[in-house]
Amino acid sequence: MALLRFSVFVLIHIALVSTLCFAGDPTVSYNFKVSYVTASPLGVPQQVIAINGEFPGPVINATTNNNVIINVRNELDENLLMTWPGIQLRRNSWQDGVLGTNCPIPAKWNWTYQFQVKDQIGSYFYSPSLNLQRASGGFGAFIVNNRAVIAIPFAQPDGDIVIMIGDWYTQNHTALRTALDSGKDLGMPDGVLINGKGPYRYNTTLVPDGIKHETINVDPDTDADRCLCAITYIYGKWFELFEILMALAQRSAGKTYRLRVHNVGTSTSLNFRIQNHNLLLVETEGHYTVQQNYTSFEIHVGQSYSFLVTMDQNATSDYYIVASARFVNESIWQRVTGVAILHYSNSKGPATGPLPEAPSDIYNQWAAMTQPRSIRLNTSASGARPNPQGSFHYGSINVTDTYVLRSLPPSTIDGKLRATLNGISFVNIDTPIRLADQHKVKGAYKLDFPNKPLDRPLRMDRSVLNSTYKGFIEVILQNNDTKMQSFHMDGYSFFVVAMDFGIWSESNRNNYNKWDAISRCTVEVYPGGWTAILISLDNAGVWNMRMENLDRWHLGQETYMRVVNPEENGETEMAPPDNVLYCGALQDLQKPQHHSAAMSILRRISTTFLTFSLALSVGIFIL
Ligand SMILES: *[C@@H]1O[C@H](CO)[C@@H](O)[C@H](O)[C@H]1NC(C)=O
Ligand SMILES: *[C@@H]1O[C@H](CO)[C@@H](O)[C@H](O)[C@H]1NC(C)=O
Ligand SMILES: *[C@@H]1O[C@H](CO)[C@@H](O)[C@H](O)[C@H]1NC(C)=O
Ligand SMILES: *[C@@H]1O[C@H](CO)[C@@H](O)[C@H](O)[C@H]1NC(C)=O
Ligand SMILES: *[C@@H]1O[C@H](CO)[C@@H](O)[C@H](O)[C@H]1NC(C)=O
Ligand SMILES: *[C@@H]1O[C@H](CO)[C@@H](O)[C@H](O)[C@H]1NC(C)=O
Ligand SMILES: *[C@@H]1O[C@H](CO)[C@@H](O)[C@H](O)[C@H]1NC(C)=O
Ligand SMILES: *[C@@H]1O[C@H](CO)[C@@H](O)[C@H](O)[C@H]1NC(C)=O
Ligand SMILES: *[C@@H]1O[C@H](CO)[C@@H](O)[C@H](O)[C@H]1NC(C)=O
Ligand SMILES: *[C@@H]1O[C@H](CO)[C@@H](O)[C@H](O)[C@H]1NC(C)=O
Ligand SMILES: *[C@@H]1O[C@H](CO)[C@@H](O)[C@H](O)[C@H]1NC(C)=O
């Protein structure tokens, strides 16, 4: 009898859980309360968007194939959507958190995202996607660790450190939005934040008093560690001795940390550097790179990089960590510089003197492109699966379609300042595209996005690319704007096969990197230049493509790629989740959400009852 009751309970419990998860793989869960808090990162009090009171938000820490559940409660005074750029959401654009795939979460509502980080590793971040909210915060790191059975292509680092850098305005996102909507440029940012904090006071004239800065604490290699190793050896096996010796040989010069650096800013490309330390590039947006040292590194808006940094200095003082504006006149933009401190536990004093210098090649544009061109895939390293990253021979696959996407500087359309891609300034979607498809809503969007710039007047529209499932496409991003741009695509990782200045032509194909091009999800496009990418369209759904530069994105520089299997068999794409929200033309299908005190009491009672019944069943079972 007791056994029966227990089994029934377990069955119910399994049934409940299995509606939430995908078979077998472990689940990580988070509760995100998104709200305004007052902070003064640059000395001026302002409302920033925090998650569970933290700014930046907590780290989402998952492992390949984990199911991720994030219950987001919107405590802002406006709509919210959280998005996970770079998380590929296989067959599941329902969780992407952009207006073309999700109805917004209204103020004071909550909504639970559920997805699997399938066949993926790497460093990413999450952020809000609507209304320029990222300019006020709401972002945090999203890490997907390797499974234990797949070795990372370097010695296990002594620590994992997240660094979020980004330009920052003392005006909040609503004020910035008002400026953009009235045709103004956002102008120069007021500073650069590092992990939500303002600059260290490296110069008393340039940095006002009373600003909190970030300190990254590290340990050098100490004798105590070596001692510990020796003890381990006495009690250990020969095998372990060998491992220890290997590890010591690899890092005899000091402890090595993995720094995951993300540019979560509004629109400024940043140069990242650490005084007296090399940055050994190892990974970007989910792929291991050929390992190379740099003294400074350019990180564009929306990009993520992992560097190994060895604490091999003598700690006569602390060291500066700098993120400064790049591709602008740096003598005018001096205040747009983030400064944090790298503090060794044996440091003998504060960092002093001038900051390490930024590269001075800014007006030598050819030199400026040398760095991004040097980023290569390590084809022999394993990524998410135990096979080499280079085993997908993208260079020998025939291209099925070519798109040329040209961006122009903002100009006036219907009396409003707008930004365009191929002459179209995207208008926000009211009814998410796949939901509109399923419910046969007419006119929610058009499938007529042109595959090259057309000679016709600029327009505002909901034009989407009609792409072929399983196609292998070439996309040329042609930047005819005057500012550096970061192009991002959701749902995919793409191969960056070439970039150059001037106008792209077919003859440029002869110089594509067909062997070890890096695969990533956000790439820079130089002003007056182009970047060519290749994408294998194997992930069905509707996927946003946009400029990560928030001003341009807000002004309409985005579209979607609709990738649908014409022979949909229920397996190429997931069905909408049970909690799908309805809006726009489907508004009437949406049930209201209650958040009264009575409800939460009821919920607490039912949780208590569940816990009680579980305890009871277990108790009876044991008896
Ligand atoms: C943003 O700034 C504007 C203008 O300074 C102010 O009116 C508004 O209340 C602020 N919004 C929030 C959410 O703090
Ligand atoms: C993430 O989780 C792994 C264990 O799964 C742990 O080793 C690592 O320190 C965690 N990282 C962060 C940043 O919390
Ligand atoms: C809202 O959050 C509660 C728990 O806080 C959860 O039980 C409920 O499922 C969530 N609602 C939605 C629509 O995700
Ligand atoms: C590439 O990865 C392999 C395999 O993990 C590693 O042994 C090698 O050092 C890496 N090569 C470079 C140049 O980074
Ligand atoms: C601080 O910055 C100002 C302006 O760039 C410069 O003139 C001055 O020399 C700097 N002071 C120090 C101590 O470096
Ligand atoms: C990178 O620089 C460090 C010193 O900071 C050095 O130990 C290491 O060998 C260099 N690695 C490569 C691949 O150049
Ligand atoms: C520590 O390193 C710095 C910079 O490399 C050097 O100027 C200084 O003399 C060194 N100090 C000691 C005590 O070795
Ligand atoms: C940068 O700005 C300064 C100050 O206005 C000016 O003197 C300098 O010529 C500018 N540099 C370039 C290369 O435009
Ligand atoms: C690619 O196209 C070429 C010429 O059009 C053809 O000969 C070749 O078989 C194609 N390769 C594949 C893998 O389809
Ligand atoms: C979209 O493309 C498919 C072929 O890939 C074609 O059959 C269909 O008619 C296109 N739809 C529109 C609206 O152009
Ligand atoms: C934009 O295109 C025009 C015409 O091709 C060209 O003259 C101009 O230099 C371009 N500007 C940029 C910033 O690419």
Side-chain angles (χ1 to χ4, degrees):
M1 165 65 193
L3 187 63
L4 184 70
R5 179 161 171 213
F6 180 66
S7 324
V8 168
F9 180 81
V10 165
L11 275 179
I12 292 170
H13 198 71
I14 287 171
L16 269 172
V17 170
S18 68
T19 60
L20 291 173
C21 303
F22 308 91
D25 295 302
T27 297
V28 291
S29 307
Y30 294 84
N31 272 306
F32 275 16
K33 190 186 80 169
V34 184
S35 68
Y36 294 117
V37 300
T38 305
S40 312
L42 293 176
V44 181
Q46 61 185 125
Q47 298 291 94
V48 307
I49 299 177
I51 293 172
N52 303 337
E54 295 173 44
F55 167 68
V59 175
I60 296 181
N61 188 11
T63 298
T64 306
N65 295 347
N66 279 180
N67 297 298
V68 181
I69 300 181
I70 305 154
N71 183 7
V72 174
R73 180 160 173 81
N74 177 9
E75 303 213 335
L76 306 179
D77 54 357
E78 53 186 28
N79 287 344
L80 172 72
L81 277 176
M82 292 302 278
T83 191
W84 336 95
I87 301 297
Q88 290 184 7
L89 308 170
R90 307 290 312 172
R91 311 184 293 126
N92 193 4
S93 59
W94 302 105
Q95 307 291 333
D96 199 25
V98 285
L99 283 177
T101 60
N102 292 79
C103 293
I105 308 168
K108 313 303 171 206
W109 283 42
N110 70 323
W111 196 70
T112 305
Y113 290 84
Q114 281 171 224
F115 50 85
Q116 189 175 17
V117 286
K118 183 85 184 141
D119 289 336
Q120 233 186 324
I121 53 110
S123 312
Y124 308 94
F125 64 88
Y126 59 84
S127 77
S129 73
L130 304 182
N131 290 330
L132 230 60
Q133 282 161 358
R134 196 176 81 209
S136 284
F139 43 73
F142 196 140
I143 297 175
V144 187
N145 298 292
N146 276 54
R147 285 184 290 151
V149 292
I150 302 172
I152 50 175
F154 40 85
Q156 191 65 41
D158 295 297
D160 200 316
I161 297 169
V162 167
I163 301 186
M164 317 286 286
I165 58 178
D167 59 358
W168 189 259
Y169 292 84
T170 52
Q171 293 185 74
N172 63 32
H173 68 284
T174 52
L176 296 175
R177 206 160 74 206
T178 309
L180 282 178
D181 290 341
S182 62
K184 294 198 189 82
D185 188 89
L186 293 185
M188 204 198 310
D190 298 298
V192 166
L193 303 192
I194 299 184
N195 286 347
K197 294 184 183 129
Y200 170 77
R201 201 164 186 219
Y202 68 98
N203 176 316
T204 50
T205 341
L206 286 171
V207 183
D209 199 6
I211 290 181
K212 281 205 194 94
H213 66 268
E214 175 72 346
T215 300
I216 306 286
N217 290 302
V218 293
D219 290 319
D221 191 29
T222 60
D223 290 336
D225 280 344
R226 288 170 199 277
C227 243
L228 204 69
C229 293
I231 294 166
T232 319
Y233 158 53
I234 292 167
Y235 293 100
K237 305 185 198 85
W238 287 105
F239 173 68
E240 276 167 331
L241 171 68
F242 176 71
E243 275 198 329
I244 290 159
L245 287 178
M246 287 295 289
L248 274 177
Q250 274 168 351
R251 65 170 82 112
S252 56
K255 285 202 172 178
T256 296
Y257 293 79
R258 179 175 185 169
L259 267 54
R260 303 184 194 247
V261 191
H262 311 270
N263 185 338
V264 290
T266 298
S267 200
T268 309
S269 296
L270 296 173
N271 178 269
F272 181 79
R273 53 198 184 273
I274 304 179
Q275 190 176 29
N276 288 6
H277 290 76
N278 273 336
L279 302 169
L280 182 67
L281 174 70
V282 292
E283 179 254 349
T284 181
E285 296 161 14
H287 287 88
Y288 294 112
T289 64
V290 167
Q291 297 172 17
Q292 285 185 82
N293 272 322
Y294 297 87
T295 48
S296 75
F297 206 85
E298 245 91 83
I299 306 182
H300 303 277
V301 178
Q303 292 186 329
S304 301
Y305 286 98
S306 288
F307 304 103
L308 297 184
V309 179
T310 300
M311 302 309 152
D312 55 4
Q313 295 300 298
N314 61 23
T316 27
S317 70
D318 289 345
Y319 300 96
Y320 294 124
I321 299 174
V322 182
S324 62
R326 183 79 163 118
F327 304 105
V328 291
N329 183 334
E330 282 157 39
S331 64
I332 301 176
W333 282 59
Q334 206 167 22
R335 75 174 141 106
V336 189
T337 299
V339 185
I341 292 299
L342 182 72
H343 175 77
Y344 282 39
S345 53
N346 63 339
S347 168
K348 293 173 198 72
T352 51
L355 300 180
E357 271 180 46
S360 54
D361 59 5
I362 163 70
Y363 296 101
N364 177 356
Q365 49 176 3
W366 296 96
M369 229 182 234
T370 310
Q371 191 173 75
R373 283 174 174 160
S374 71
I375 306 168
R376 299 294 168 93
L377 190 74
N378 179 339
T379 54
S380 61
S382 290
R385 276 181 281 193
N387 49 336
Q389 294 184 124
S391 62
F392 178 69
H393 298 289
Y394 70 92
S396 56
I397 304 174
N398 287 338
V399 164
T400 54
D401 290 289
T402 296
Y403 300 109
V404 178
L405 303 183
R406 187 182 65 189
S407 53
L408 296 178
S411 56
T412 306
I413 310 174
D414 303 343
K416 281 189 169 155
L417 189 72
R418 301 288 300 181
T420 56
L421 272 179
N422 283 2
I424 295 178
S425 181
F426 201 78
V427 177
N428 282 342
I429 292 276
D430 292 328
T431 312
I433 293 169
R434 290 304 277 154
L435 216 49
D437 289 349
Q438 291 206 336
H439 293 265
K440 305 202 161 39
V441 175
K442 290 265 177 319
Y445 66 95
K446 294 178 188 164
L447 261 185
D448 65 349
F449 196 94
N451 61 7
K452 58 175 189 292
L454 298 178
D455 191 14
R456 65 180 191 193
L458 305 179
R459 60 162 87 165
M460 311 233 292
D461 220 332
R462 295 192 173 98
S463 295
V464 168
L465 280 161
N466 181 20
S467 303
T468 310
Y469 178 60
K470 298 273 187 189
F472 189 74
I473 62 168
E474 174 189 38
V475 181
I476 312 302
L477 305 157
Q478 182 80 54
N479 183 356
N480 199 242
D481 200 341
T482 53
K483 288 171 72 179
M484 181 72 79
Q485 295 181 328
S486 286
F487 173 86
H488 169 83
M489 176 151 188
D490 283 348
Y492 289 97
S493 182
F494 48 73
F495 294 94
V496 181
V497 291
M499 58 174 76
D500 213 333
F501 292 98
I503 311 279
W504 176 86
S505 72
E506 294 192 7
S507 64
N508 290 120
R509 287 185 179 137
N510 300 330
N511 298 323
Y512 282 3
N513 176 353
K514 296 212 157 185
W515 167 242
D516 62 355
I518 192 66
S519 180
R520 63 185 312 162
C521 62
T522 306
V523 71
E524 62 269 47
V525 192
Y526 278 64
W530 56 268
T531 299
I533 61 178
L534 300 179
I535 318 176
S536 172
L537 297 183
D538 56 358
N539 191 14
V542 165
W543 303 106
N544 187 240
M545 37 212 301
R546 60 175 179 263
M547 292 309 158
E548 278 290 338
N549 312 76
L550 285 184
D551 50 344
R552 295 295 193 265
W553 183 8
H554 183 75
L555 293 179
Q557 227 160 47
E558 67 168 331
T559 184
Y560 289 82
M561 200 178 268
R562 186 174 173 277
V563 188
V564 172
N565 184 356
E567 288 137 34
E568 175 56 67
N569 50 11
E571 286 183 4
T572 32
E573 205 178 342
M574 286 188 192
D578 294 345
N579 63 348
V580 70
L581 293 174
Y582 296 97
C583 55
L586 299 169
Q587 181 78 57
D588 291 346
L589 297 177
Q590 182 59 45
K591 296 195 190 75
Q593 228 184 44
H594 301 287
H595 291 290
S596 62
M599 271 304 286
S600 62
I601 289 170
L602 209 70
R603 204 181 302 131
R604 219 172 305 143
I605 291 173
S606 66
T607 318
T608 317
F609 176 72
L610 247 129
T611 319
F612 177 70
S613 65
L614 175 64
L616 200 70
S617 344
V618 171
I620 290 171
F621 182 61
I622 289 168
L623 279 174

